[in-house]
């Protein structure tokens, strides 16, 4: 019995994207789930105590990159688990990462309106990569009848002087899972205190999903305060989606909106229509179309660039088509 | 039964090289085969269909480098295989990679005249690393009585405007394997269209190997058009080699020439004499001597630098001696 | 039976450090042992001969780093072992690495006075990372009644001209292990010959450890000549430590001094008090306090920075407190 399990995701797709005159055509990595390789294990220490570790790295399947070379680590931690829950040290998921439960594609970088809108708003609570914290102490409670709590504190390693909390991050999540229902309340904060971020960035999200069998309905509402240097502004993001089982596959649809405090010309709307087909539990074919509708002052794209000849373009629509395969191992 | 197999090559050698007054003495990685570590697996999906993935990274055994840190990935792809053949997405070998079949040392970076000459000519069809394409869609046919076809298209991810094909690459290979004979015709192209490469770079190679038992004879002829900015020029490379089994080892010899369109002062001649000894199927000792004969305008070296005190030297001979061990796992 | 074993160390801690007005608070990697992941294997070649390889990479558990991305490889080699001993090619430990036997915490980056003092003196013989050599040929003898010899030569790959030995390194170590006693004499040298290092840097260390059962006593004495550009200077480092078993744990203490040739205002004193508790053979909790006492011209810190507002501080004391967990797999 080896002490280590090697696991991962190999996900690649062909994509076509348009933003104004820019047209992307090519092969990318991680459309449905981020490509990764990981090494994990646990050791039984007796009395219900366990030592756990996870070392997990991002891969760009389309490029000439090493393991974690350009996109880094997803998780690197060691910790102890017992009746008290889990305590870990290292780079770890913040509670905001797990809001992928309220996204119809499970937090797909290519096919999630919530991720598009969170990026546009500078939010760290998103179903994608915004919620991985370095230098972190993480606590996860056991489940109390379906209810669990997750808290994390992330130190900004560079801080040395009296204002030592600047750019530190914290997060708290409360989740409920029971039968067809999943719901959660998440809070995350980035400490302010310097010129780039005078005030704390504060965010919260309420998310939920209910599986009716013939359709699973998912949605979330979140607020982001003082992000991207917008002092005093509180942006709102809401999205609603559905997943309908059809044979061995699912049809996915979702619609969301960034409702910007700075005015409706800072709004973004995003929607997706996608289809996933399971060749097996481990291998899924997927295709989908994601559209971002930018107002005059926004430019959330996905596949195509925001720049033409060095000039950043605003207020155009972004169209993105993908077809690919995800294999987990 | 784990889903992943960890495999690789650990190859290191002591080398001595001279080029004019430069003398290299040291330890290098990957003399006979590139050092690497890989993770691969397949899943049977039923009806003859399989999902496959390969994640394979270059290693510099002699240096303080991480996995793929400085020399990147060799292959990173996911795909499906069935009666139709194989279709893969990601960074993959182009058909030109497999011309190592026509090289007496199997495409050794330290001991292959063909690789030396392909580098000097700027060719991508070589038995070494020139034929790994990013952002690629790859198709491999099944074998029809020994005959198979391999085609790849590689997108240049940066392209966004109307000239979207610039620096895209494509390759097509047709191979035959049967009894003692292996032969193949390979074509590769890099799309032109910008200042650095106004015209398409076009290459083809015809290669073959025949195993007479007491000796295996190998050779190739290739043309390279419009490489290294030499518009209108078509360079020719030909090489012939032999491998003679002696006990548990082989004696290898090969001679090749770059016949440059720009004139005979742009020619390079290269030859090798080597000995490989198998301690087991997985572990091989090797030693060899490779000589590059540069004309007035060329400077193909291998171990020793082309520069002396910052001045690039031309027209000298390059001598390279190696002794090492390759272990596959 | 796979050809590869995946192994490693996941070690992370919470640390607090002070140096003058600088205060570090955060999570770091590798307090007791450097975090790492490795891949190793061996093949029996018959007649007592074996092929061996080790590929081992540093990990920063607290950061967004890939495998070996920022801190590189620990070891990458392939070699042969037989009745003659072991010969390896690649990046390998020099004899100086193994002086961790004479350190009460086994060469802990956070808790070893010897490592602190070796860093301050620019010595390569230390229980930490100073003794990993690139481009190396390494020989290890078999044990003759507990006595063994280890020799390494490391080429500076960049050297090309007549002064080809500049920055080459070499090391020789003689070790004895028998019953409760371990002792060793180690010599390492860096070739001089250029402006930065006109003279050879020469170092030696005598170290020993004796396990009385109720207490293990450890110590070392070393000299470093011509390090850090201090021509003609010979610095001395000595340290003595003890480890006392208490239940499932150990109390560790050590004290050491850098006695600088340049005068007592260049001295550093360092001491540690630590406790390690084994949850199992593979999982250890640890905590400790390390103090560096800098004289007017020195500034050896560990967790906190040496700079305040860009100005390097000298002559203050450095305090470092850590609490963490090490899991080996």
């Amino acid at each position: 019995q080896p002490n280590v399990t090697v696991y991962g995701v190999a996900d690649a797709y062909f994509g076509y994207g348009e933003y104004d005159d820019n047209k992307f055509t090519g092969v990318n990595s991680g459309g449905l789930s981020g490509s990764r390789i990981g090494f994990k294990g646990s050791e039984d220490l007796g009395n219900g105590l366990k030592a756990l570790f996870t070392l997990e790295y991002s891969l760009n399947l389309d490029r000439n990159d090493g393991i974690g070379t350009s996109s880094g680590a997803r998780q690197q931690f060691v910790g102890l688990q017992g009746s008290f829950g889990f305590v870990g040290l290292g780079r770890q998921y913040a509670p905001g990462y797990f809001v992928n439960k309220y996204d119809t594609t499970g937090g797909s970088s290519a096919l999630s309106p919530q991720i598009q809108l969170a990026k546009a708003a500078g939010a760290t609570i998103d179903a994608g990569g915004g919620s991985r914290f370095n230098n972190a102490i993480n606590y996860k409670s056991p489940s109390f009848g379906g209810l669990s709590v997750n808290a994390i504190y992330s130190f900004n390693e560079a801080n040395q002087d009296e204002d030592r909390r600047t750019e530190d991050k914290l997060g708290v999540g409360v989740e409920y899972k029971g039968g067809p229902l999943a719901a959660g309340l998440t809070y995350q904060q980035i400490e302010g205190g310097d010129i780039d971020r005078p005030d704390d960035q504060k965010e919260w999200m309420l998310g939920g999903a209910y599986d009716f069998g013939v359709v699973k309905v998912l949605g979330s509402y979140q607020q982001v305060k003082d992000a991207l240097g917008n002092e005093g502004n509180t942006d709102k993001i809401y999205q609603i989606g559905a997943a309908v089982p059809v044979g061995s596959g699912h049809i996915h649809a979702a619609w969301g909106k960034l409702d910007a405090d700075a005015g409706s010309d800072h709004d973004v709307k995003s929607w997706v229509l996608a289809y996933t087909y399971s060749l097996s539990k481990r291998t899924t074919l997927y295709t989908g179309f994601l559209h971002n509708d930018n107002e005059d002052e926004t430019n959330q794209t996905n596949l195509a660039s925001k720049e033409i000849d060095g000039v950043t373009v605003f207020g155009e629509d972004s169209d993105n088509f993908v077809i690919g395969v995800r294999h987990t191992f």
Side-chain angles (χ1 to χ4, degrees), chain A residues 205-314:
Chain A
M205 176 198 267
L206 183 65
Y210 197 94
D211 194 343
F212 293 95
V214 292
V215 58
K216 186 176 183 180
V217 178
L218 317 94
S220 60
Y221 176 82
Q222 74 191 102
Q223 291 195 353
V224 192
K225 186 168 170 297
D226 294 331
L228 301 177
N230 300 319
E231 280 182 80
N233 279 6
T234 300
D235 293 338
K236 302 172 186 74
I237 299 171
Y238 40 89
Q239 61 93 17
I240 186 157
V244 179
V246 182
S248 294
H250 285 83
I251 295 171
H252 304 265
W255 180 92
K257 186 179 175 186
L258 162 60
D259 190 353
D261 207 356
S264 62
D265 54 351
H266 288 77
D267 287 356
V268 182
K269 290 192 279 284
S270 179
W271 59 263
V272 71
L273 186 64
Y275 177 65
T276 56
Y277 180 83
S278 295
L279 290 169
S280 74
K281 274 201 169 182
R282 290 171 48 203
T283 305
T284 302
L285 300 177
Y286 61 92
T287 187
F289 181 84
L290 179 129
H291 178 88
N292 288 328
D293 185 355
N294 291 295
E295 298 298 329
D296 286 359
E297 302 294 331
T298 57
N299 62 355
Q300 183 59 35
T301 69
N302 197 25
L303 295 177
S305 169
K306 304 178 183 198
E307 289 194 3
I308 296 179
D309 300 333
V311 178
T312 305
V313 180
F314 289 90

Side-chain angles (χ1 to χ4, degrees), chain A residues 13-317:
Chain A
Y13 65 95
F14 171 81
Y16 175 80
E18 280 190 15
Y19 183 68
D20 200 29
D21 286 346
N22 277 339
K23 292 176 176 66
F24 169 89
T25 311
V27 172
N28 275 342
S29 179
L32 194 54
S33 300
S35 293
R36 73 198 72 167
I37 191 163
F39 308 87
K40 66 181 175 186
S42 70
E43 183 194 15
D44 196 334
L45 300 168
N47 297 318
L49 196 64
K50 272 185 182 182
L52 298 178
F53 74 95
T54 295
L55 307 166
E56 187 182 296
Y57 304 92
S58 288
L59 303 175
N60 284 321
L61 255 64
D62 52 325
R63 300 197 191 166
N64 188 14
D65 286 346
I67 297 184
T69 303
S70 65
S71 27
R74 293 173 58 94
Q75 309 179 74
Q76 295 191 103
F77 65 80
V78 57
L80 295 173
Q81 187 160 42
S83 56
F84 58 85
F86 170 80
V87 175
L89 290 168
R91 175 170 166 85
Q92 292 167 92
Y93 289 147
Y97 182 82
F98 301 103
V99 304
N100 56 12
K101 291 183 193 73
Y102 317 124
D103 182 279
T104 182
T105 58
S108 150
S109 74
L111 297 169
S112 163
Q114 196 271 332
I115 292 180
Q116 300 296 313
L117 302 172
K119 275 188 197 166
T124 69
I125 299 182
D126 78 5
S131 286
R132 299 183 198 120
F133 288 0
N134 286 349
N135 302 307
I137 299 178
N138 186 20
Y139 169 73
K140 289 181 188 173
S141 81
S143 173
F144 301 101
L147 202 70
S148 62
V149 175
N150 182 2
I152 195 166
Y153 193 90
S154 161
F155 296 91
N156 177 13
E157 195 163 314
N159 290 334
Q160 297 275 354
D161 58 10
E162 63 274 8
D163 301 322
R164 288 213 317 287
R165 295 190 58 200
T166 306
E167 297 295 327
D168 281 9
K169 298 178 198 173
L170 61 90
V172 182
V174 181
E175 273 189 12
Y176 175 78
K177 280 191 231 176
L181 176 67
L185 181 63
T186 306
Y187 177 82
Q188 288 185 189
Q189 181 172 326
I190 308 177
E191 293 293 309
D194 57 8
I195 293 169
D196 294 334
R197 193 189 304 279
D199 298 319
D200 297 350
Q201 174 169 331
K202 296 179 181 181
E203 310 174 38
W204 62 266
M205 176 198 267
L206 183 65
Y210 197 94
D211 194 343
F212 293 95
V214 292
V215 58
K216 186 176 183 180
V217 178
L218 317 94
S220 60
Y221 176 82
Q222 74 191 102
Q223 291 195 353
V224 192
K225 186 168 170 297
D226 294 331
L228 301 177
N230 300 319
E231 280 182 80
N233 279 6
T234 300
D235 293 338
K236 302 172 186 74
I237 299 171
Y238 40 89
Q239 61 93 17
I240 186 157
V244 179
V246 182
S248 294
H250 285 83
I251 295 171
H252 304 265
W255 180 92
K257 186 179 175 186
L258 162 60
D259 190 353
D261 207 356
S264 62
D265 54 351
H266 288 77
D267 287 356
V268 182
K269 290 192 279 284
S270 179
W271 59 263
V272 71
L273 186 64
Y275 177 65
T276 56
Y277 180 83
S278 295
L279 290 169
S280 74
K281 274 201 169 182
R282 290 171 48 203
T283 305
T284 302
L285 300 177
Y286 61 92
T287 187
F289 181 84
L290 179 129
H291 178 88
N292 288 328
D293 185 355
N294 291 295
E295 298 298 329
D296 286 359
E297 302 294 331
T298 57
N299 62 355
Q300 183 59 35
T301 69
N302 197 25
L303 295 177
S305 169
K306 304 178 183 198
E307 289 194 3
I308 296 179
D309 300 333
V311 178
T312 305
V313 180
F314 289 90
E316 300 292 330
D317 286 1

